[in-house]
Coordinates of all heavy atoms in Angstrom, one line a residue:
M4 N -105.3 92.6 33.9 CA -106.0 91.5 33.1 C -107.1 90.9 34.0 O -108.1 90.5 33.4 CB -104.9 90.4 32.9 CG -105.5 89.2 32.2 SD -104.3 88.3 31.4 CE -105.2 86.8 31.1
L5 N -106.9 90.9 35.3 CA -108.0 90.3 36.1 C -109.3 91.2 36.1 O -110.3 90.6 36.2 CB -107.5 90.1 37.5 CG -106.4 89.1 37.7 CD1 -105.9 89.1 39.1 CD2 -106.8 87.7 37.3
V6 N -109.1 92.4 35.8 CA -110.2 93.3 35.7 C -111.1 93.0 34.5 O -112.3 93.0 34.5 CB -109.8 94.8 35.8 CG1 -111.0 95.8 35.6 CG2 -109.2 95.1 37.1
I7 N -110.3 92.8 33.4 CA -110.9 92.5 32.2 C -111.7 91.1 32.3 O -112.9 91.0 31.8 CB -110.0 92.4 31.0 CG1 -109.3 93.7 30.8 CG2 -110.6 91.8 29.7 CD1 -108.1 93.7 29.9
V8 N -111.1 90.2 32.9 CA -111.8 88.9 33.1 C -113.1 89.0 33.9 O -114.1 88.5 33.6 CB -110.8 87.9 33.7 CG1 -111.5 86.6 34.2 CG2 -109.7 87.6 32.8
Q9 N -112.9 89.8 35.0 CA -114.1 90.1 35.8 C -115.2 90.8 35.1 O -116.4 90.3 35.1 CB -113.7 91.0 37.0 CG -114.9 91.2 37.9 CD -114.5 92.1 39.1 OE1 -113.3 92.5 39.2 NE2 -115.4 92.5 39.9
K10 N -114.9 91.8 34.3 CA -116.0 92.5 33.5 C -116.6 91.6 32.4 O -117.8 91.6 32.2 CB -115.4 93.7 32.8 CG -115.0 94.8 33.7 CD -116.2 95.3 34.4 CE -115.8 96.4 35.4 NZ -116.9 96.9 36.2
L11 N -115.8 90.7 31.8 CA -116.3 89.8 30.8 C -117.3 88.8 31.5 O -118.4 88.5 30.9 CB -115.2 89.0 30.1 CG -114.6 89.7 28.9 CD1 -113.4 88.9 28.4 CD2 -115.5 89.9 27.8
L12 N -117.0 88.4 32.6 CA -117.8 87.4 33.4 C -119.1 88.1 33.8 O -120.2 87.5 33.7 CB -117.1 86.9 34.6 CG -117.7 85.6 35.2 CD1 -117.8 84.5 34.3 CD2 -116.8 85.2 36.4
E13 N -119.1 89.3 34.2 CA -120.3 90.1 34.5 C -121.2 90.3 33.3 O -122.4 90.0 33.4 CB -119.9 91.4 35.2 CG -119.3 91.4 36.6 CD -118.8 92.7 37.0 OE1 -119.0 93.7 36.3 OE2 -118.3 92.7 38.1
I14 N -120.6 90.6 32.2 CA -121.4 90.8 31.0 C -122.0 89.5 30.5 O -123.2 89.4 30.2 CB -120.5 91.4 29.8 CG1 -120.1 92.8 30.2 CG2 -121.2 91.3 28.5 CD1 -119.0 93.3 29.2
S15 N -121.2 88.5 30.7 CA -121.7 87.1 30.3 C -122.9 86.7 31.2 O -123.9 86.2 30.6 CB -120.6 86.1 30.4 OG -121.1 84.8 30.4
M16 N -122.9 87.0 32.5 CA -124.0 86.6 33.3 C -125.3 87.5 33.0 O -126.3 86.9 33.1 CB -123.5 86.8 34.8 CG -122.5 85.8 35.2 SD -121.7 86.1 36.8 CE -123.0 86.5 37.9
R17 N -125.0 88.7 32.6 CA -126.2 89.5 32.2 C -126.8 89.0 31.0 O -128.0 89.0 30.8 CB -125.7 91.0 32.1 CG -125.6 91.8 33.3 CD -125.4 93.2 33.1 NE -124.5 93.7 34.1 CZ -123.4 94.4 33.8 NH1 -123.1 94.6 32.5 NH2 -122.6 94.8 34.7
L18 N -126.0 88.6 30.0 CA -126.5 88.2 28.7 C -127.2 86.8 28.9 O -128.1 86.5 28.1 CB -125.4 88.1 27.7 CG -124.8 89.4 27.2 CD1 -123.7 89.2 26.2 CD2 -125.9 90.2 26.5
D19 N -126.8 86.0 29.9 CA -127.4 84.6 30.0 C -128.9 84.8 30.5 O -129.6 83.9 30.3 CB -126.6 83.9 31.1 CG -125.4 83.2 30.5 OD1 -125.3 83.1 29.3 OD2 -124.6 82.8 31.3
K20 N -129.2 85.9 31.1 CA -130.6 86.1 31.5 C -131.5 86.7 30.4 O -132.7 87.0 30.7 CB -130.6 87.1 32.7 CG -129.9 86.5 33.9 CD -129.8 87.4 35.1 CE -129.1 86.9 36.2 NZ -129.0 87.8 37.4
S21 N -131.0 86.9 29.2 CA -131.8 87.5 28.2 C -132.8 86.6 27.6 O -132.7 85.4 27.7 CB -130.8 88.0 27.0 OG -131.5 88.5 25.9
D22 N -133.9 87.2 27.1 CA -134.9 86.4 26.4 C -134.5 85.9 25.1 O -135.0 84.9 24.6 CB -136.2 87.3 26.3 CG -136.7 87.6 27.6 OD1 -136.5 86.8 28.6 OD2 -137.5 88.6 27.7
R23 N -133.6 86.6 24.4 CA -133.2 86.2 23.1 C -132.2 85.1 23.1 O -131.2 85.2 23.9 CB -132.7 87.4 22.3 CG -133.7 88.5 22.1 CD -133.1 89.6 21.3 NE -134.1 90.7 21.1 CZ -133.8 91.8 20.6 NH1 -132.6 92.1 20.2 NH2 -134.7 92.7 20.4
K24 N -132.4 84.1 22.3 CA -131.5 83.0 22.2 C -130.1 83.3 21.8 O -129.1 82.9 22.3 CB -132.1 81.9 21.3 CG -131.3 80.6 21.4 CD -132.0 79.5 20.6 CE -131.3 78.2 20.7 NZ -132.0 77.2 20.0
F25 N -130.0 84.2 20.8 CA -128.7 84.7 20.3 C -127.8 85.3 21.4 O -126.6 85.0 21.5 CB -128.9 85.6 19.1 CG -127.6 86.3 18.6 CD1 -126.7 85.5 17.9 CD2 -127.3 87.6 19.0 CE1 -125.5 86.1 17.5 CE2 -126.1 88.2 18.5 CZ -125.2 87.4 17.8
L26 N -128.5 86.2 22.2 CA -127.7 86.8 23.3 C -127.3 85.9 24.3 O -126.2 86.0 25.0 CB -128.6 88.0 23.9 CG -128.8 89.2 23.0 CD1 -129.7 90.2 23.7 CD2 -127.5 89.8 22.6
R27 N -128.1 84.8 24.6 CA -127.7 83.8 25.6 C -126.5 83.0 25.1 O -125.6 82.7 25.9 CB -128.9 82.9 25.9 CG -130.0 83.5 26.8 CD -130.9 82.4 27.3 NE -131.5 81.6 26.3 CZ -132.6 81.7 25.7 NH1 -133.4 82.7 26.0 NH2 -133.0 80.8 24.8
I28 N -126.5 82.7 23.8 CA -125.4 82.0 23.3 C -124.1 82.9 23.3 O -123.1 82.4 23.7 CB -125.7 81.5 21.8 CG1 -126.8 80.5 21.8 CG2 -124.4 81.0 21.1 CD1 -127.3 80.1 20.4
L29 N -124.3 84.2 23.0 CA -123.2 85.1 23.0 C -122.6 85.2 24.4 O -121.4 85.2 24.7 CB -123.6 86.4 22.5 CG -122.6 87.6 22.5 CD1 -121.4 87.2 21.5 CD2 -123.1 88.9 22.1
G30 N -123.6 85.3 25.5 CA -123.2 85.3 26.8 C -122.3 84.1 27.2 O -121.4 84.1 28.0
K31 N -122.8 82.9 26.7 CA -122.0 81.7 27.1 C -120.6 81.7 26.4 O -119.6 81.2 27.0 CB -122.8 80.4 26.7 CG -124.0 80.2 27.6 CD -124.8 79.1 27.2 CE -126.0 79.0 28.1 NZ -126.9 77.9 27.9
L32 N -120.5 82.2 25.2 CA -119.3 82.2 24.5 C -118.3 83.3 25.3 O -117.1 83.0 25.4 CB -119.5 82.7 23.1 CG -120.1 81.6 22.2 CD1 -120.3 82.2 20.8 CD2 -119.2 80.4 22.1
L33 N -118.8 84.4 25.7 CA -118.1 85.3 26.4 C -117.7 84.8 27.8 O -116.6 85.1 28.3 CB -118.8 86.7 26.7 CG -118.9 87.5 25.4 CD1 -119.8 88.7 25.7 CD2 -117.5 88.0 25.0
G34 N -118.5 84.0 28.3 CA -118.2 83.4 29.7 C -117.1 82.3 29.7 O -116.5 82.1 30.7
A35 N -116.9 81.8 28.5 CA -115.9 80.7 28.4 C -114.5 81.2 28.6 O -113.7 80.6 29.2 CB -116.0 80.0 27.0
F36 N -114.2 82.4 28.1 CA -112.9 83.0 28.2 C -112.5 83.2 29.7 O -111.4 82.8 30.1 CB -112.8 84.3 27.5 CG -111.5 84.9 27.6 CD1 -110.3 84.4 27.0 CD2 -111.4 86.1 28.4 CE1 -109.0 85.0 27.2 CE2 -110.1 86.7 28.6 CZ -109.0 86.2 28.0
P37 N -113.3 83.9 30.5 CA -112.9 84.1 31.9 C -112.7 82.8 32.7 O -111.8 82.7 33.5 CB -114.0 84.9 32.5 CG -114.7 85.5 31.4 CD -114.5 84.6 30.3
V38 N -113.5 81.8 32.4 CA -113.3 80.5 33.1 C -112.1 79.9 32.7 O -111.3 79.4 33.6 CB -114.6 79.6 32.8 CG1 -114.3 78.2 33.3 CG2 -115.9 80.2 33.4
R39 N -111.7 79.8 31.4 CA -110.4 79.2 31.0 C -109.2 80.0 31.6 O -108.2 79.5 32.0 CB -110.3 79.2 29.5 CG -111.1 78.1 28.9 CD -110.8 77.9 27.4 NE -111.5 76.8 26.9 CZ -111.3 76.4 25.6 NH1 -110.5 77.1 24.8 NH2 -111.9 75.4 25.2
C40 N -109.4 81.3 31.5 CA -108.3 82.2 32.0 C -108.1 82.0 33.5 O -106.9 81.9 34.0 CB -108.6 83.7 31.7 SG -107.3 84.8 32.1
S41 N -109.1 81.9 34.3 CA -108.9 81.7 35.7 C -108.4 80.3 36.0 O -107.5 80.2 37.0 CB -110.3 81.8 36.5 OG -111.2 80.9 36.0
K42 N -108.7 79.3 35.3 CA -108.2 78.0 35.5 C -106.7 78.0 35.2 O -105.8 77.4 35.9 CB -108.9 77.0 34.6 CG -110.2 76.6 35.1 CD -110.9 75.5 34.3 CE -112.3 75.2 34.7 NZ -113.0 74.2 33.9
W43 N -106.3 78.7 34.1 CA -104.9 78.9 33.7 C -104.1 79.5 34.7 O -103.0 79.1 35.1 CB -104.8 79.6 32.3 CG -103.4 79.8 31.9 CD1 -102.6 78.8 31.4 CD2 -102.8 81.1 31.7 NE1 -101.4 79.5 31.0 CE2 -101.5 80.8 31.2 CE3 -103.2 82.4 32.0 CZ2 -100.6 81.9 30.9 CZ3 -102.3 83.4 31.7 CH2 -101.1 83.1 31.2
L44 N -104.6 80.7 35.3 CA -103.9 81.4 36.3 C -103.8 80.6 37.6 O -102.8 80.6 38.3 CB -104.6 82.8 36.6 CG -104.5 83.8 35.5 CD1 -105.4 85.0 35.9 CD2 -103.1 84.2 35.3
E45 N -104.8 79.9 37.9 CA -104.8 79.0 39.1 C -103.8 77.9 39.0 O -103.0 77.7 39.9 CB -106.2 78.3 39.3 CG -106.3 77.4 40.5 CD -107.6 76.8 40.6 OE1 -108.4 76.9 39.7 OE2 -107.8 76.1 41.7
K46 N -103.6 77.3 37.8 CA -102.6 76.4 37.5 C -101.2 76.9 37.7 O -100.4 76.3 38.3 CB -102.8 75.8 36.1 CG -101.9 74.6 35.8 CD -102.2 74.2 34.3 CE -101.3 73.1 33.9 NZ -101.5 72.7 32.5
R47 N -101.0 78.1 37.1 CA -99.7 78.7 37.2 C -99.3 79.0 38.6 O -98.2 79.0 39.1 CB -99.6 80.0 36.4 CG -99.5 79.8 34.9 CD -99.4 81.1 34.1 NE -98.3 81.9 34.6 CZ -98.2 83.2 34.4 NH1 -99.2 83.8 33.7 NH2 -97.2 83.9 34.8
L48 N -100.4 79.5 39.4 CA -100.1 79.9 40.8 C -99.7 78.7 41.6 O -98.8 78.7 42.4 CB -101.4 80.5 41.3 CG -101.3 81.1 42.7 CD1 -100.3 82.3 42.9 CD2 -102.7 81.5 43.2
F49 N -100.4 77.5 41.5 CA -100.1 76.4 42.2 C -98.8 75.6 41.8 O -98.3 74.9 42.6 CB -101.3 75.4 42.3 CG -102.4 75.9 43.1 CD1 -103.7 76.1 42.6 CD2 -102.2 76.2 44.4 CE1 -104.7 76.5 43.4 CE2 -103.2 76.6 45.3 CZ -104.5 76.8 44.7
Q50 N -98.4 75.8 40.5 CA -97.2 75.2 40.1 C -96.0 76.0 40.6 O -94.9 75.6 40.6 CB -97.1 75.2 38.5 CG -98.0 74.1 38.0 CD -97.9 74.1 36.5 OE1 -97.4 75.0 35.8 NE2 -98.5 73.1 35.8
G51 N -96.2 77.3 40.9 CA -95.2 78.2 41.4 C -94.4 79.0 40.3 O -93.4 79.6 40.5
T52 N -95.0 78.9 39.1 CA -94.4 79.7 38.0 C -94.9 81.1 37.9 O -94.3 81.9 37.2 CB -94.7 79.0 36.7 OG1 -96.1 78.9 36.5 CG2 -94.2 77.6 36.6
W53 N -95.8 81.5 38.8 CA -96.4 82.8 38.8 C -96.5 83.3 40.2 O -97.1 82.6 41.0 CB -97.7 82.9 38.0 CG -98.3 84.2 38.0 CD1 -97.8 85.4 37.5 CD2 -99.7 84.6 38.4 NE1 -98.7 86.4 37.5 CE2 -99.9 85.9 38.1 CE3 -100.7 83.8 38.9 CZ2 -101.1 86.6 38.3 CZ3 -101.9 84.5 39.2 CH2 -102.1 85.8 38.9
D54 N -96.0 84.5 40.5 CA -96.2 85.1 41.8 C -96.6 86.5 41.7 O -95.9 87.4 41.4 CB -94.7 85.1 42.5 CG -94.9 85.5 44.0 OD1 -96.0 85.6 44.5 OD2 -93.8 85.8 44.6
P55 N -97.9 86.7 41.8 CA -98.5 88.0 41.6 C -98.1 89.0 42.8 O -98.0 90.2 42.5 CB -100.0 87.8 41.8 CG -100.2 86.6 42.5 CD -99.0 85.7 42.2
V56 N -97.6 88.6 43.9 CA -97.2 89.4 45.0 C -95.9 90.1 44.6 O -95.5 91.2 45.1 CB -97.2 88.7 46.3 CG1 -96.7 89.5 47.4 CG2 -98.5 88.1 46.6
R57 N -95.0 89.4 43.9 CA -93.6 89.8 43.6 C -93.7 91.2 42.9 O -92.9 92.1 43.3 CB -92.9 88.8 42.8 CG -91.5 89.2 42.6 CD -90.7 88.3 41.7 NE -91.0 86.8 41.9 CZ -90.9 85.9 41.0 NH1 -90.5 86.2 39.8 NH2 -91.3 84.7 41.2
K58 N -94.6 91.3 42.0 CA -94.6 92.6 41.2 C -95.1 93.7 42.1 O -94.6 94.8 42.1 CB -95.7 92.4 40.1 CG -95.7 93.4 39.1 CD -96.6 93.0 37.9 CE -96.5 93.9 36.8 NZ -97.4 93.5 35.6
Y59 N -96.0 93.4 43.0 CA -96.5 94.4 44.0 C -95.4 94.8 44.9 O -95.3 96.0 45.2 CB -97.7 93.8 44.7 CG -98.3 94.7 45.8 CD1 -99.0 95.8 45.5 CD2 -98.1 94.4 47.1 CE1 -99.5 96.7 46.5 CE2 -98.6 95.2 48.2 CZ -99.3 96.3 47.9 OH -99.8 97.1 48.8
R60 N -94.7 93.9 45.4 CA -93.5 94.2 46.3 C -92.5 95.1 45.6 O -92.0 96.0 46.3 CB -92.9 92.9 46.8 CG -93.8 92.3 47.9 CD -93.1 91.0 48.4 NE -93.9 90.2 49.3 CZ -93.8 89.0 49.5 NH1 -92.9 88.3 48.9 NH2 -94.7 88.4 50.3
R61 N -92.2 94.8 44.4 CA -91.2 95.6 43.6 C -91.7 97.0 43.6 O -90.9 97.9 43.8 CB -91.0 95.0 42.2 CG -90.2 93.8 42.1 CD -89.9 93.5 40.7 NE -89.4 92.1 40.6 CZ -89.5 91.4 39.5 NH1 -90.0 91.9 38.4 NH2 -89.1 90.2 39.5
R62 N -92.9 97.2 43.3 CA -93.5 98.6 43.1 C -93.3 99.3 44.4 O -93.0 100.5 44.5 CB -95.0 98.5 42.7 CG -95.5 99.7 42.2 CD -96.9 99.5 41.7 NE -97.1 98.5 40.7 CZ -98.1 97.8 40.4 NH1 -99.2 98.0 41.1 NH2 -98.2 96.8 39.5
I63 N -93.6 98.7 45.5 CA -93.5 99.3 46.9 C -92.0 99.6 47.2 O -91.8 100.7 47.7 CB -94.1 98.4 48.0 CG1 -95.7 98.4 47.8 CG2 -93.8 98.9 49.4 CD1 -96.4 97.5 48.8
R64 N -91.2 98.7 46.9 CA -89.8 99.0 47.1 C -89.2 100.2 46.3 O -88.5 101.0 46.8 CB -88.9 97.7 46.8 CG -88.6 96.9 48.0 CD -87.5 95.8 47.6 NE -88.3 94.6 47.4 CZ -88.1 93.7 46.4 NH1 -87.1 93.9 45.6 NH2 -88.7 92.6 46.3
R65 N -89.7 100.3 45.1 CA -89.2 101.4 44.3 C -89.7 102.7 44.9 O -89.0 103.7 44.9 CB -89.8 101.3 42.8 CG -89.0 100.2 42.1 CD -89.6 100.2 40.7 NE -89.0 99.0 40.0 CZ -89.6 98.4 39.0 NH1 -90.7 98.9 38.5 NH2 -89.0 97.4 38.4
R66 N -91.0 102.8 45.4 CA -91.5 104.0 46.0 C -90.8 104.4 47.2 O -90.4 105.5 47.4 CB -93.0 103.7 46.3 CG -93.9 104.0 45.3 CD -95.3 104.1 45.7 NE -96.2 103.4 44.8 CZ -97.2 102.8 45.1 NH1 -97.6 102.6 46.3 NH2 -98.0 102.1 44.2
K67 N -90.5 103.3 48.1 CA -89.7 103.6 49.3 C -88.4 104.2 49.0 O -87.9 105.1 49.7 CB -89.6 102.3 50.2 CG -90.9 102.0 50.9 CD -90.8 100.8 51.7 CE -92.0 100.4 52.4 NZ -91.9 99.2 53.2
R68 N -87.7 103.6 48.0 CA -86.3 104.0 47.7 C -86.4 105.5 47.2 O -85.6 106.3 47.5 CB -85.8 103.1 46.6 CG -84.3 102.7 46.8 CD -83.9 101.8 45.7 NE -84.2 100.4 46.0 CZ -84.4 99.5 45.0 NH1 -84.3 99.8 43.8 NH2 -84.8 98.3 45.4
F69 N -87.4 105.8 46.3 CA -87.5 107.1 45.9 C -87.7 108.1 47.0 O -87.2 109.1 47.0 CB -88.6 107.2 44.8 CG -88.8 108.6 44.3 CD1 -87.8 109.1 43.4 CD2 -89.8 109.3 44.6 CE1 -88.0 110.4 42.9 CE2 -90.1 110.6 44.1 CZ -89.1 111.1 43.3
R70 N -88.6 107.7 47.8 CA -89.0 108.7 48.9 C -87.8 108.9 49.9 O -87.5 110.0 50.3 CB -90.2 108.1 49.7 CG -91.4 108.3 49.0 CD -92.6 107.8 49.8 NE -93.8 107.9 49.0 CZ -94.9 107.3 49.3 NH1 -95.0 106.6 50.4 NH2 -96.0 107.4 48.5
S71 N -87.1 107.8 50.2 CA -85.9 108.0 51.0 C -84.8 108.8 50.4 O -84.2 109.6 51.1 CB -85.3 106.6 51.4 OG -84.8 106.0 50.3
D72 N -84.6 108.7 49.1 CA -83.6 109.5 48.4 C -84.1 110.9 48.4 O -83.3 111.8 48.6 CB -83.4 109.0 46.9 CG -82.7 107.7 46.8 OD1 -82.1 107.3 47.8 OD2 -82.8 107.1 45.7
H73 N -85.3 111.2 48.2 CA -85.9 112.5 48.2 C -85.7 113.2 49.6 O -85.4 114.4 49.7 CB -87.3 112.5 47.8 CG -88.0 113.8 47.7 ND1 -87.7 114.7 46.7 CD2 -89.0 114.5 48.4 CE1 -88.4 115.8 46.8 NE2 -89.2 115.7 47.9
N74 N -86.0 112.4 50.6 CA -85.8 113.0 52.0 C -84.4 113.3 52.4 O -84.1 114.3 53.0 CB -86.4 112.0 53.0 CG -87.9 111.9 52.9 OD1 -88.6 112.8 52.4 ND2 -88.5 110.8 53.4
K75 N -83.4 112.5 51.8 CA -82.0 112.8 52.1 C -81.6 114.1 51.4 O -80.8 114.9 52.0 CB -81.1 111.6 51.5 CG -81.2 110.4 52.3 CD -80.4 109.3 51.6 CE -80.6 108.0 52.4 NZ -79.9 106.9 51.6
D76 N -82.1 114.4 50.2 CA -81.8 115.6 49.5 C -82.3 116.8 50.3 O -81.6 117.8 50.3 CB -82.4 115.5 48.1 CG -81.7 114.5 47.2 OD1 -80.6 114.1 47.6 OD2 -82.2 114.2 46.2
Q77 N -83.4 116.7 50.9 CA -84.0 117.8 51.6 C -83.3 118.1 52.9 O -83.2 119.3 53.3 CB -85.5 117.6 51.8 CG -86.4 117.8 50.6 CD -87.9 117.7 50.9 OE1 -88.2 117.4 52.0 NE2 -88.6 117.9 49.9
K78 N -82.8 117.1 53.6 CA -82.2 117.2 54.9 C -80.7 117.8 54.7 O -80.4 118.7 55.5 CB -82.1 115.9 55.6 CG -83.4 115.4 56.1 CD -83.2 114.0 56.8 CE -84.5 113.5 57.2 NZ -84.4 112.2 57.8
G79 N -80.0 117.3 53.6 CA -78.7 117.7 53.6 C -78.5 118.8 52.6 O -78.1 119.9 52.5

């Protein structure tokens, strides 16, 4: 999701530099979503209701568990 927000913000910044008024307005509308989304994620992070590291740690634990099981099978 964060990649999508980043791309939308980049597109919005490019459109803001356009000579056409319609494209500048479109750029501002596209830029509103990433700003709101980042504020919402920041709020969740500081309230403690969202921990982005937990998902990353689970993924690493699963990999380690799988590799250790695989190594046991090869040794025995």
Side-chain angles (χ1 to χ4, degrees):
M4 177 159 168
L5 295 176
V6 174
I7 295 170
V8 170
Q9 179 183 357
K10 291 296 179 186
L11 275 175
L12 195 57
E13 289 173 3
I14 293 169
S15 168
M16 289 167 51
R17 281 190 217 126
L18 290 176
D19 280 343
K20 296 178 183 179
S21 176
D22 292 337
R23 295 182 179 173
K24 189 174 183 175
F25 172 73
L26 291 178
R27 285 196 309 265
I28 292 171
L29 182 64
K31 289 179 183 183
L32 290 174
L33 284 176
F36 175 73
V38 171
R39 282 189 175 184
C40 186
S41 64
K42 286 181 181 179
W43 177 68
L44 290 174
E45 180 183 10
K46 183 179 175 184
R47 282 182 59 199
L48 185 64
F49 286 123
Q50 285 179 349
T52 58
W53 179 54
D54 187 12
V56 179
R57 185 183 321 155
K58 194 174 190 179
Y59 176 73
R60 286 182 185 156
R61 281 186 199 160
R62 197 176 304 153
I63 289 178
R64 261 190 260 139
R65 286 180 190 159
R66 274 193 221 147
K67 285 183 180 178
R68 223 180 278 153
F69 176 72
R70 287 182 183 165
S71 64
D72 290 344
H73 183 69
N74 291 337
K75 287 178 188 176
D76 291 341
Q77 287 184 356
K78 289 179 184 177

